[in-house]
């Protein structure tokens, strides 16, 4: 699969080109979404034999795990007094 957004291109131009396009019709969908239902729907379009309810649960877990990891890293940096945590 080809990455659906600009890789070495102009992100601003990409966003301007798709500013009035509904989110689900953009070529980078569901990458900007943090909704597990969006990810499950997109996944099941490519893999129709998969159950969308099961995949919603899977993506909800994966997205939350990523969030938890990010928060753990930020808390660890803050506890160490690192300047990186001030971002």
């Amino acid at each position: 699969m080809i990455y659906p957004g600009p890789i070495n291109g102009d992100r601003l131009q990409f966003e301007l080109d798709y500013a009035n396009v509904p989110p689900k019709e953009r070529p980078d969908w569901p990458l900007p979404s943090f909704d597990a239902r969006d990810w499950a729907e997109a996944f099941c379009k490519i893999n129709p034999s998969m159950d969308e309810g099961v995949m919603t649960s899977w993506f909800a877990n994966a997205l939350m795990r990523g969030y938890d990891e990010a928060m753990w890293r930020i808390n660890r940096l803050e506890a160490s007094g690192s300047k990186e945590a001030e971002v």
Side-chain angles (χ1 to χ4, degrees):
M1 178 176 158
I2 297 172
Y3 184 78
I7 295 175
N8 293 321
D10 186 348
R11 184 72 195 188
L12 176 59
Q13 187 60 51
F14 178 83
E15 293 300 333
L16 290 172
D17 291 346
Y18 291 98
N20 296 317
V21 176
K24 290 186 179 182
E25 294 178 19
R26 289 173 48 127
D28 61 347
W29 189 255
L31 295 176
S33 175
F34 284 99
D35 189 330
R37 293 171 293 191
D38 294 334
W39 281 87
E41 179 184 337
F43 182 83
C44 288
K45 281 183 184 175
I46 298 169
N47 302 284
S49 65
M50 301 301 291
D51 179 80
E52 195 167 324
V54 170
M55 296 315 302
T56 298
S57 297
W58 191 92
F59 281 109
N61 182 57
L63 290 164
M64 199 65 226
R65 176 62 184 106
Y67 174 83
D68 290 344
E69 177 70 18
M71 291 297 99
W72 177 81
R73 290 179 183 199
I74 288 169
N75 290 335
R76 187 180 67 181
L77 287 171
E78 286 175 348
S80 71
S82 173
K83 294 251 183 223
E84 291 178 39
E86 296 174 12
V87 175

